[in-house]
Amino acid sequence: MQRRIVLRALALAGLAPGLVPAKQQAPLIEVYKSATCGCCGEWVRHLEAGGFRVEARNVPNTAAYRERYGIPSALGSCHTATIGGYALEGHVPATDIKRLLKERPDAVGLAVPGMPLGSPGMEVPDRKADAYDVLLLRKDGSHIVYRHVAAQ
């Protein structure tokens, strides 16, 4: 009985990761989005399905968050997010976020500029998905292609 109480206390304190529900262990992504943007909500659902915890905040001006987190306005989209010291801009796939967190490059974060059809949250039934690039944003203001997603 006492062992069970101790293990539960450790789990609640976060000291026994194997005993903490998976939802609590999942990395947290904070999303800054417009209240009226439906695709932002779809991207949040994509992240949750990909194993992330998400705190979505409706804000009046998403551009202010791009500026705050060092994302060039030319690479903007409809929402900005943060996770583990990185910024995320636009419809970045969960798989690329997981790769970023695993590799831990010295970078600002990832961006999918614009709103490419077929990117997570931008899927449209019976419509062909566009090709798009997931960009790695470097701290010097430059960027490189982190992953190219082919048209489907």
Side-chain angles (χ1 to χ4, degrees):
M1 178 77 161
Q2 282 213 342
R3 181 175 187 266
R4 196 175 328 146
I5 293 169
V6 170
L7 289 174
R8 185 170 182 187
L10 288 172
L12 291 172
L15 300 175
L19 300 175
V20 177
K23 184 112 173 140
Q24 290 178 349
Q25 290 180 28
L28 174 66
I29 298 180
E30 294 182 46
V31 179
Y32 304 93
K33 65 179 201 61
S34 164
T36 60
C37 185
C39 66
C40 295
E42 291 300 318
W43 186 65
V44 165
R45 284 187 271 293
H46 165 78
L47 296 176
E48 291 170 337
F52 293 100
R53 286 182 302 133
V54 180
E55 285 185 14
R57 296 183 174 94
N58 294 327
V59 297
N61 178 11
T62 57
Y65 291 88
R66 281 191 287 286
E67 185 176 336
R68 176 186 295 175
Y69 295 113
I71 299 168
S73 60
L75 302 180
S77 184
C78 57
H79 53 261
T80 302
T82 61
I83 183 171
Y86 291 106
L88 305 170
E89 180 65 24
H91 296 266
V92 178
T95 54
D96 294 309
I97 300 168
K98 289 176 183 177
R99 177 181 162 204
L100 177 77
L101 295 173
K102 182 179 179 184
E103 294 176 353
R104 303 290 311 167
D106 185 28
V108 171
L110 299 175
V112 173
M115 298 168 70
L117 190 64
S119 61
M122 290 295 299
E123 299 93 344
V124 177
D126 302 321
R127 295 279 308 270
K128 184 178 175 181
D130 295 335
Y132 64 94
D133 291 328
V134 178
L135 305 177
L136 179 70
L137 309 177
R138 294 179 167 160
K139 290 183 176 178
D140 66 2
S142 66
H143 60 272
I144 59 169
V145 174
Y146 192 65
R147 182 171 72 99
H148 176 74
V149 178
Q152 297 178 357

